[in-house]
Amino acid sequence: MSFSLPDNVPAFNKPQRRFEDGRWGSSGRVHGQRNADTVNSVGDRIGGLLDKRQLPMYKDKPYSYAVSRKQSYFMRRRRVIAGAIVILLGVLYWVGLFSRSAPVSTEGGKKAWSWLKKQPSSVAVDWLERRERVKEAFMLSWDGYEKHAWGYDEYHPLSKSGRQMVPNGMGWIIVDSLDTLMIMNLTSRLSHAREWISTTLNYDQDHEVNTFETTIRMLGGLLSAHYLSTAFPNMAPLTDAADGATGEDLYLEKATDLADRLLGAFDSPSGIPYASVNLKTFKGVTSHDDGGASSTAEAASLQLEMKYIAKLTGEKNYWDKAEKVIKVIDDNGMADGLLPIFIYADRGTFRGENIRLGSRGDSYYEYLIKQYLQTSKQEPIYLNMWNQALAGVRKHLITYSKLAHLTVLGERPDGLENAVSPKMDHLVCFMPGTIALGATSGLTEGNAKKLSPWGEKQEEEMELAKELMKTCWGMYKVTATGLAAEITHFNLDQPPKTERDHKERSPKVLSDAADAEWKGDYIVKPMDAHNLQRPETVESLFYMWRITGDSMYREWGWEMFKSFVNYTTVADGAGFTSLDNVNELPPRQRDNMESFWLAETLKYFYLLFSPNDLLPLDHVVINTEAHIFPRFELGKLFSTGWERKPRDWSGHMVPVAKTPESGKQETIVKEVKTVVRQIQSFSG
């Protein structure tokens, strides 16, 4: 059954794009900003009025990004003046003066898709049929973009328009969607995309781009397309006559060109990459906000991509640059493996004490365990770091809601010695699946239990993954639309309970009753209530289904998907879009369809409803933009080129006294290790 459009959805023939949430710089609260939340929130909301030059919403931040600006005297003065009207404009925004979003007739949507009205029955669920519904949603989204904004980096489905991030475009949506097109076997659409890449895509542009986002989306998308097109030639196969067809290594050629340009970001005094890089000059550019610091997630989530292209090309420089970043970070010796969310590229030291696994911190932790798995468990240093960090999360960040005892992964905005915040970004919901992946290495839970090591630690981690997954599902279930807010706060005991003193159990099932007690634990503030089509919860549902085999996770995903169809569909076949407030019915729509809706959210829904032999988890590793890479062995050329500094039993670094004799011994040890590695490389 195919999609048809709701009869009662109004037409939108004027640009109605809502200004975004403000600059990235307002998103992170550092030490000394205890009372900054309210002001920052208002500033975030009106930032778009002061600077129209914005890029799309980025994965690790719930805020938009303003391109680089020279910090002239007049610009600084302008910002001071602008700051004087922030509160006033914020109040006006709050009462709806600037609200230009479009109300949507939800009833029309419900009538249009008959499968939405189907009641549960005793007949076994046809998951392949449900997968087809996801495929149809992707085609509706892609075809709307193809018709109204082809070749543009941004797509605004309400106004049916597009916009470039750089003068000639980067292929932001096209490249990010390549592997989804392949996995869904959409051959004709893939052929059109490849033709555009072959004839139009050119990264030689004098413009700054974000290092992290360009790496995970563009480089990751090209590398994933290369892998799938070579390892799985029956996925959306192209004819030899097609532009950039099988005989031409188009994806790897473009990936190598882009990777060379991105390497310039790593040329900092410390080796920590700059926040941005100029594509033409290959020069890194210091962050224009946050005191010049890069975000930790940005700096430490480039490794899967750079290591894979190093393996493909044999160019060790990619590997060495990416690997050094982790060494510099780890040499700071942060307590319990938990890192502040900003790090200076020039010094390699952290800024502030704000610790969280949401925006600006998230994918650092994700890439620790995935680096270990990417190189077939041949680099145990990353497993050690992951274990230390997860133990730190359980010690400092895990707490529990007051009424239903739901597991909450909070924040420490003022450092580990100060209070835990009951705030969870939707971004944090990558953690349930990642924890389960770390405990099982991607095997099913049953098979993992048969292997060593499996014990109390792994059992506890799986239980933590399941409880966090329930909490993330509740973020959807608690709202009027069935879609999660960007940020959720929780009702906690005072003082908050920790894993060590928590005894109560959460309810096995979250009741549908309107007055269910668990709902009182969720707090969604009006300024946090938007939904940006994010993938993290369905990402974790995919991992949890594959690993546990519990069909409950598939059912939760199906309910989420139906809510997206119900409330985010755009008129006239233009696609899907973000929402202003998940607790309003009908919800107001924002005029923006993120590339990760195609690259991640719909891909994970599709994989969730697919047979488990499609991209088995013990054979692949998936980057933070849902791009698929193979696992591989180090081989002769590559090795782990660094060691952790000595630490005590609790993970804290141990000072080592330097003496002339110890210096000689250290030199001898290094020389011996070098010889050993050379012998190992010759022996294969």
Side-chain angles (χ1 to χ4, degrees):
M1 181 178 297
S2 60
F3 280 101
S4 57
L5 292 164
D7 297 328
N8 300 325
V9 174
F12 305 104
N13 51 19
K14 296 181 180 180
Q16 301 185 34
R17 185 179 184 186
R18 188 172 186 80
F19 52 83
E20 297 292 0
D21 296 317
R23 295 171 289 113
W24 283 358
S26 301
S27 67
R29 186 159 67 98
V30 298
H31 186 61
Q33 292 179 301
R34 293 172 184 265
N35 300 317
D37 281 347
T38 302
V39 176
N40 279 349
S41 295
V42 176
D44 292 340
R45 294 295 174 174
I46 70 164
L49 296 175
L50 305 178
D51 194 332
K52 299 295 184 182
R53 299 167 295 173
Q54 297 175 338
L55 299 187
M57 199 67 63
Y58 284 123
K59 176 175 173 61
D60 86 320
K61 308 171 191 67
Y63 307 92
S64 62
Y65 173 65
V67 295
S68 61
R69 301 171 297 276
K70 293 183 179 179
Q71 301 298 307
S72 66
Y73 165 78
F74 296 102
M75 178 61 73
R76 291 194 299 270
R77 183 180 178 186
R78 177 185 173 190
R79 287 185 172 180
V80 169
I81 296 172
I85 63 172
V86 162
I87 301 299
L88 174 61
L89 289 177
V91 171
L92 294 176
Y93 171 81
W94 187 277
V95 300
L97 178 64
F98 302 118
S99 181
R100 297 177 296 165
S101 302
V104 178
S105 171
T106 59
E107 288 303 313
K110 292 177 183 177
K111 293 176 182 177
W113 294 290
S114 59
W115 53 267
L116 282 173
K117 299 184 295 183
K118 287 184 178 179
Q119 299 298 317
S121 68
S122 58
V123 179
V125 173
D126 187 341
W127 290 106
L128 291 181
E129 180 183 353
R130 291 184 173 184
R131 185 176 75 165
E132 283 301 302
R133 304 290 83 80
V134 177
K135 185 175 180 178
E136 290 164 1
F138 179 91
M139 290 189 292
L140 189 69
S141 304
W142 178 267
D143 292 350
Y145 166 71
E146 192 173 41
K147 180 178 180 180
H148 302 295
W150 182 248
Y152 284 95
D153 295 322
E154 294 182 27
Y155 176 42
H156 310 308
L158 298 186
S159 57
K160 298 180 177 61
S161 63
R163 191 175 77 97
Q164 299 290 26
M165 292 165 45
V166 300
N168 297 318
M170 293 182 64
W172 204 253
I173 292 175
I174 295 173
V175 173
D176 214 10
S177 304
L178 286 172
D179 54 3
T180 310
L181 290 165
M182 293 178 180
I183 291 168
M184 293 185 179
N185 202 32
L186 297 173
T187 306
S188 62
R189 293 170 178 83
L190 176 63
S191 180
H192 191 198
R194 289 179 64 114
E195 178 187 9
W196 185 89
I197 291 170
S198 179
T199 60
T200 305
L201 181 60
N202 180 8
Y203 289 121
D204 188 26
Q205 301 189 55
D206 190 7
H207 203 281
E208 295 172 18
V209 297
N210 179 268
T211 305
F212 165 71
E213 295 293 345
T214 306
T215 299
I216 66 167
R217 299 198 199 201
M218 300 296 93
L219 182 58
L222 291 166
L223 291 174
S224 181
H226 168 78
Y227 168 58
L228 294 182
S229 64
T230 53
F232 304 96
N234 291 326
M235 279 188 179
L238 300 181
T239 64
D240 290 338
D243 285 324
T246 308
E248 179 186 350
D249 209 345
L250 174 68
Y251 302 132
L252 186 56
E253 175 188 332
K254 293 291 185 181
T256 304
D257 174 56
L258 179 58
D260 288 342
R261 299 174 190 277
L262 291 169
L263 278 185
F266 294 83
D267 291 335
S268 70
S270 71
I272 295 294
Y274 292 110
S276 300
V277 64
N278 185 295
L279 290 175
K280 188 174 187 67
T281 65
F282 297 44
K283 297 293 185 183
V285 182
T286 304
S287 173
H288 301 285
D289 293 297
D290 308 313
S294 301
S295 83
T296 302
E298 289 182 348
S301 304
L302 316 169
Q303 285 65 33
L304 295 182
E305 297 78 10
M306 288 297 177
K307 285 184 171 183
Y308 182 36
I309 197 168
K311 184 69 174 179
L312 288 171
T313 62
E315 294 293 337
K316 197 169 181 293
N317 193 36
Y318 300 126
W319 185 288
D320 294 342
K321 294 277 191 181
E323 184 180 61
K324 183 180 179 181
V325 175
I326 307 300
K327 179 187 186 307
V328 173
I329 286 175
D330 196 58
D331 281 353
N332 279 271
M334 302 309 296
D336 296 319
L338 300 180
L339 312 182
I341 59 173
F342 294 106
I343 187 167
Y344 291 107
D346 57 347
R347 285 165 265 174
T349 56
F350 290 103
R351 177 180 190 249
E353 299 179 71
N354 193 342
I355 292 173
R356 65 183 183 222
L357 270 71
S359 62
R360 301 180 180 268
D362 49 2
S363 48
Y364 161 74
Y365 304 94
E366 175 188 357
Y367 270 35
L368 291 179
I369 188 62
K370 289 185 176 180
Q371 284 185 82
Y372 172 65
L373 297 176
Q374 181 184 38
T375 52
S376 302
K377 304 183 182 180
Q378 294 179 336
E379 296 186 280
I381 192 170
Y382 299 110
L383 176 62
N384 180 274
M385 293 176 70
W386 163 256
N387 285 334
Q388 182 189 9
L390 183 55
V393 167
R394 294 174 63 180
K395 178 181 178 182
H396 297 287
L397 302 182
I398 292 296
T399 185
Y400 301 90
S401 67
K402 183 175 183 178
L403 301 176
H405 315 296
L406 296 165
T407 300
V408 177
L409 203 168
E411 302 179 355
R412 296 277 184 170
D414 298 303
L416 296 181
E417 301 305 317
N418 290 294
V420 63
S421 166
K423 168 178 170 282
M424 276 183 69
D425 294 351
H426 184 274
L427 292 160
V428 177
C429 288
F430 83 95
M431 271 297 280
T434 304
I435 292 170
L437 177 67
T440 64
S441 297
L443 298 171
T444 65
E445 189 176 10
N447 286 338
K449 287 182 177 181
K450 299 174 184 176
L451 303 176
S452 179
W454 185 274
E456 183 179 357
K457 173 180 176 294
Q458 287 74 20
E459 292 284 356
E460 290 178 352
E461 289 174 1
M462 286 302 302
E463 183 63 22
L464 175 59
K466 293 171 184 177
E467 289 298 314
L468 277 175
M469 190 76 261
K470 186 192 303 179
T471 301
C472 290
W473 163 233
M475 291 181 181
Y476 285 75
K477 195 173 176 66
V478 77
T479 69
T481 59
L483 294 172
E486 179 73 359
I487 298 170
T488 302
H489 289 75
F490 288 86
N491 181 18
L492 302 183
D493 287 306
Q494 294 301 326
K497 293 183 178 179
T498 66
E499 192 177 72
R500 287 170 292 183
D501 55 28
H502 180 257
K503 306 298 180 186
E504 296 86 352
R505 302 287 295 179
S506 66
K508 186 174 182 181
V509 177
L510 299 182
S511 169
D512 291 328
D515 60 349
E517 185 179 49
W518 66 269
K519 294 182 179 180
D521 282 331
Y522 288 81
I523 302 167
V524 176
K525 300 179 181 181
M527 300 293 278
D528 302 331
H530 48 289
N531 179 281
L532 303 174
Q533 307 168 290
R534 288 204 185 272
E536 289 77 23
T537 296
V538 66
E539 171 186 352
S540 279
L541 289 175
F542 162 66
Y543 280 105
M544 295 301 291
W545 155 249
R546 286 283 183 96
I547 289 168
T548 70
D550 190 336
S551 60
M552 170 182 69
Y553 298 119
R554 279 180 145 183
E555 292 291 354
W556 291 355
W558 179 242
E559 293 303 313
M560 288 166 50
F561 175 69
K562 288 194 296 182
S563 294
F564 275 116
V565 171
N566 246 334
Y567 296 111
T568 70
T569 310
V570 174
D572 303 328
F576 294 77
T577 194
S578 305
L579 300 179
D580 254 357
N581 191 321
V582 295
N583 279 322
E584 289 183 356
L585 291 178
R588 292 181 176 271
Q589 293 185 332
R590 295 183 169 192
D591 192 11
N592 197 48
M593 187 181 79
E594 295 294 343
S595 75
F596 52 67
W597 167 250
L598 301 174
E600 297 188 78
T601 308
L602 290 176
K603 182 189 293 167
Y604 278 124
F605 276 124
Y606 188 84
L607 292 173
L608 176 63
F609 304 147
S610 292
N612 290 358
D613 60 357
L614 176 59
L615 304 175
L617 289 179
D618 57 338
H619 287 70
V620 300
V621 64
I622 304 175
N623 90 336
T624 196
E625 187 71 9
H627 294 311
I628 317 295
F629 303 156
R631 299 190 188 189
F632 56 82
E633 295 190 354
L634 291 172
K636 298 179 179 180
L637 182 60
F638 301 103
S639 62
T640 306
W642 68 286
E643 294 180 347
R644 302 191 78 186
K645 291 183 177 179
R647 286 165 167 79
D648 61 22
W649 63 272
S650 63
H652 296 91
M653 284 204 305
V654 177
V656 178
K658 285 286 185 181
T659 65
E661 188 62 29
S662 66
K664 293 178 182 178
Q665 292 175 352
E666 183 177 317
T667 301
I668 294 172
V669 169
K670 287 183 177 180
E671 291 176 351
V672 170
K673 288 181 177 179
T674 300
V675 173
V676 170
R677 281 197 292 266
Q678 290 174 344
I679 294 173
Q680 289 175 337
S681 67
F682 283 116
S683 63

